[in-house]
Amino acid sequence: MSTQSSARRTRLTGHFTYAGWEERALGSRPEGAYPRLAHAAVTNAFAGGIEAETTCAYTIVYLTEKTGTFTGMELLDGSVDGRRGTFVVEERGSFDERGSVRCAFEVVPGSGTGELAGLRGTGAFTHEPGQESVPYTFDYDFG
C-alpha cells in the first residue's frame, strides 16, 4: 500500500481480487449476434489503502465476442486509509481483444457512511490478462 498526500487529495494504491462473477445475457439476441447486453453480479476483495468486501452490478455491452464496454455500481463495505464505513462508486470501462480491462470510477456523492461520510474521490484500474490481483489507484478527500 502506498499513500501520497497533496494539498487537496490523498492518493491510495492497492489491489483487489475477484471473489465471484455471475453473468447472464439480457434480451433475446441470437447466439453470436452483436451488439448484445449482459448483466453481471460480482464480488471483490480490496486490500491496500482500501480494505473492503464489495458487491457490484454491471451492465455490459458486447460489441464483439471479446470487446465492449460496461457501466456499474459497486458498494464497498470496509475502510479507506483506516476510516471505517461504506460508500458506492460508479464505474465506466472497456475491454479489448487482448483481454485488457480499463476502468475509471467515482464515489457517488452522499453515499459515504460512518467515518466515510462526506467522502469524495476518483480512481482507476487496469486488469491485464493473467493477473490474479488487479492494482488500483484512488484519490480522495472529504467535502
Side-chain angles (χ1 to χ4, degrees):
M1 174 184 89
S2 173
T3 303
Q4 298 175 345
S5 289
S6 67
R8 263 187 50 111
R9 290 218 150 169
T10 299
R11 170 163 282 188
L12 300 177
T13 61
H15 65 276
F16 68 91
T17 55
Y18 294 103
W21 184 284
E22 294 180 28
E23 186 174 323
R24 64 180 172 79
L26 297 175
S28 58
R29 302 278 298 160
E31 185 70 27
Y34 296 98
R36 71 175 175 86
L37 292 176
H39 179 263
V42 180
T43 54
N44 294 318
F46 276 74
I50 299 173
E51 296 279 340
E53 298 296 318
T54 72
T55 303
C56 315
Y58 293 115
T59 299
I60 305 163
V61 178
Y62 285 93
L63 300 172
T64 70
E65 182 179 348
K66 296 182 180 182
T67 64
T69 65
F70 62 91
T71 60
M73 295 289 189
E74 185 166 13
L75 173 66
L76 294 93
D77 185 2
S79 65
V80 172
D81 216 9
R83 297 171 84 159
R84 294 207 48 78
T86 61
F87 64 102
V88 175
V89 295
E90 182 176 2
E91 302 180 357
R92 180 174 298 274
S94 64
F95 49 99
D96 64 25
E97 291 176 353
R98 291 187 18 242
S100 296
V101 177
R102 288 173 180 65
C103 181
F105 56 88
E106 183 172 1
V107 174
V108 173
S111 67
T113 68
E115 295 174 317
L116 299 177
L119 179 69
R120 300 182 304 195
T122 59
F125 68 83
T126 298
H127 176 263
E128 296 296 343
Q131 283 181 318
E132 291 184 25
S133 180
V134 181
Y136 67 84
T137 60
F138 181 59
D139 298 321
Y140 78 94
D141 61 19
F142 288 89

